[in-house]
């Protein structure tokens, strides 16, 4: 089951936050089933129905976990992680601005400052502080920038496959060309899975999990299946951090921090270990047979890599 809670982000942008949990053990006839849709997959990550925001005061003010997806991602990509976390902790995943079911106003800011302020607003409005913030890719950058800015809100940090080095102009041009190569609209979700899992020029070898990942960010339009985000907004978001290095902000993170990399991901071992060295309280973990989408490629190994750290920070 999933519950939607609205958050007001920077500039008044409406953001969708989601609590994922296993259905309570009650009469099955009375249970409300999850909606199957674009996100339905072998990973068990369904598209979740929009639900009403709970009344004021209903949200418990307890420390918890905030989960931040990467560029082009959505909160439901964290569903399996959030469900096992919810057995002992309060876990909330945020659709960041321009993503998922959050607002995508063309005139809104898609700057680093706006993304960090959105995460700050989520922690405060959801009553999660002091939270462990778990971020993947761009979401990890937002997480460590939040930890540096507001140490009172963040008790622990998990950085998943995000580089601290500048990626440069060539990288941004590659992304622009990549978006142009997408054969949109896709006729079916099977076509989405096939292209991103097998046919995409960026795929070094077949990767069904990648196909499922992108199927989850598509929605059906009159002419076929298109992404729920605007590619222009994704490029605008990316250009606000891709030209800069972010080592200085890592030095300002005072809470315990875990850097996790997939062995086949975009974050190399040497850079990951340098990030650990720069972090005042850094630790390191790696996941075998995982690429950039670590938590999606190998969910059980991902859990094994981060659970001891989470337990130490949240209950230690």
């Amino acid at each position: 089951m999933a519950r939607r809670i609205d958050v007001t982000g920077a500039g008044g942008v409406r953001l969708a936050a989601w609590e994922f949990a296993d259905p309570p053990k009650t009469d099955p006839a009375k249970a409300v089933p999850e909606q199957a849709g674009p996100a339905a997959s072998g990973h068990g990550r369904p598209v979740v129905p929009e639900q009403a925001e709970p009344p004021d005061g209903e949200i418990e003010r307890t420390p918890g976990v905030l989960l931040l997806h990467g560029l082009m991602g959505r909160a439901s990509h964290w569903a399996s992680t959030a469900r096992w976390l919810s057995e002992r902790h309060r876990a909330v995943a945020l659709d960041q601005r321009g993503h998922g079911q959050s607002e995508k106003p063309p005139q809104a800011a898609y700057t680093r400052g706006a993304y960090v302020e959105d995460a700050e607003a989520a922690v405060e409005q959801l009553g999660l502080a002091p939270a462990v913030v778990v971020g993947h890719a761009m979401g990890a950058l937002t997480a460590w920038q939040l930890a540096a800015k507001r140490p009172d809100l963040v008790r622990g940090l998990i950085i998943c496959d995000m580089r601290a080095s500048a990626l440069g102009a060539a990288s941004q041009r590659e992304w622009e060309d990549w978006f142009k190569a997408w054969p949109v609209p896709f006729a079916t979700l099977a076509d989405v899975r096939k292209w991103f899992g097998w046919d995409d020029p960026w795929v070094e070898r077949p990767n069904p999990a990648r196909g499922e990942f992108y199927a989850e960010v598509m929605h059906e339009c009159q002419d076929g299946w298109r992404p729920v985000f605007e590619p222009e907004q994704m490029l605008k978001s990316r250009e606000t951090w891709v030209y800069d290095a972010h080592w200085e902000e890592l030095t300002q993170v005072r809470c315990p921090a875990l850097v996790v990399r997939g062995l086949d991901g975009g974050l190399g071992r040497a850079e990951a270990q340098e990030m650990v060295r720069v972090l005042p309280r850094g630790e390191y973990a790696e996941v075998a047979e995982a690429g950039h989408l670590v938590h999606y490629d190998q969910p059980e190994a991902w859990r094994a890599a981060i659970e001891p750290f989470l337990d130490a920070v949240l209950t230690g």
Side-chain angles (χ1 to χ4, degrees), residues 205-216:
R205 57 181 178 271
N207 187 344
R210 189 174 186 269
E212 296 290 354
F213 183 94
Y214 282 99
E216 204 161 331

Side-chain angles (χ1 to χ4, degrees), residues 245-258:
H246 304 281
W247 296 96
E248 180 62 29
E249 292 147 318
L250 286 175
T251 69
Q252 299 168 13
V253 175
R254 298 300 169 187
C255 64
L258 178 68

Side-chain angles (χ1 to χ4, degrees), residues 62-84:
T62 56
V65 181
L66 179 67
L67 300 150
L68 299 175
H69 61 73
L71 191 69
M72 301 184 295
R74 66 184 305 168
S76 60
H77 284 144
W78 290 115
S80 65
T81 297
R83 286 188 176 113
W84 63 257

Side-chain angles (χ1 to χ4, degrees), residues 2 16 38 46 104 111 120 134 209-210 216 234 301 309:
K104 306 166 181 65
T111 62
E120 185 178 355
V134 183
R210 189 174 186 269
E216 204 161 331
M234 299 299 100
F309 174 85

Side-chain angles (χ1 to χ4, degrees), residues 116-140:
V116 174
E117 288 178 34
D118 288 348
E120 185 178 355
V123 172
E124 292 182 323
Q125 293 173 33
L126 296 168
L128 297 173
V132 171
V133 184
V134 183
H136 173 246
M138 183 190 72

Side-chain angles (χ1 to χ4, degrees), residues 203-283:
V203 175
E204 295 181 358
R205 57 181 178 271
N207 187 344
R210 189 174 186 269
E212 296 290 354
F213 183 94
Y214 282 99
E216 204 161 331
V217 294
M218 297 289 163
H219 65 148
E220 191 171 17
C221 303
Q222 288 185 343
D223 59 351
W225 294 84
R226 294 178 177 273
V228 297
F229 52 77
E230 295 295 333
E232 294 78 11
Q233 292 178 355
M234 299 299 100
L235 289 170
K236 187 183 299 184
S237 298
R238 194 174 188 271
E239 71 183 5
T240 65
W241 55 264
V242 72
Y243 302 113
D244 302 315
H246 304 281
W247 296 96
E248 180 62 29
E249 292 147 318
L250 286 175
T251 69
Q252 299 168 13
V253 175
R254 298 300 169 187
C255 64
L258 178 68
V259 177
V260 185
R261 61 178 289 268
L263 292 189
D264 298 321
L267 176 61
R269 178 180 281 114
E271 184 171 353
Q273 292 179 343
E274 180 63 11
M275 291 169 66
V276 171
R277 188 191 68 79
V278 167
L279 285 158
R281 301 173 67 184
E283 301 178 32

Side-chain angles (χ1 to χ4, degrees), residues 150-231:
R150 292 291 306 273
D152 57 311
L153 296 184
V154 184
R155 65 164 60 188
L157 174 68
I158 296 180
I159 297 167
C160 179
D161 215 71
M162 179 62 188
R163 300 182 61 185
S165 299
L167 301 182
S171 172
Q172 189 71 357
R173 287 194 297 271
E174 287 177 1
W175 274 68
E176 292 170 358
D177 292 341
W178 179 55
F179 275 127
K180 293 175 183 176
W182 288 21
V184 290
F186 294 91
T188 67
L189 279 179
D191 292 327
V192 174
R193 296 184 180 101
K194 182 177 183 296
W195 196 82
F196 287 101
W198 280 268
D199 300 339
D200 183 350
W202 277 28
V203 175
E204 295 181 358
R205 57 181 178 271
N207 187 344
R210 189 174 186 269
E212 296 290 354
F213 183 94
Y214 282 99
E216 204 161 331
V217 294
M218 297 289 163
H219 65 148
E220 191 171 17
C221 303
Q222 288 185 343
D223 59 351
W225 294 84
R226 294 178 177 273
V228 297
F229 52 77
E230 295 295 333

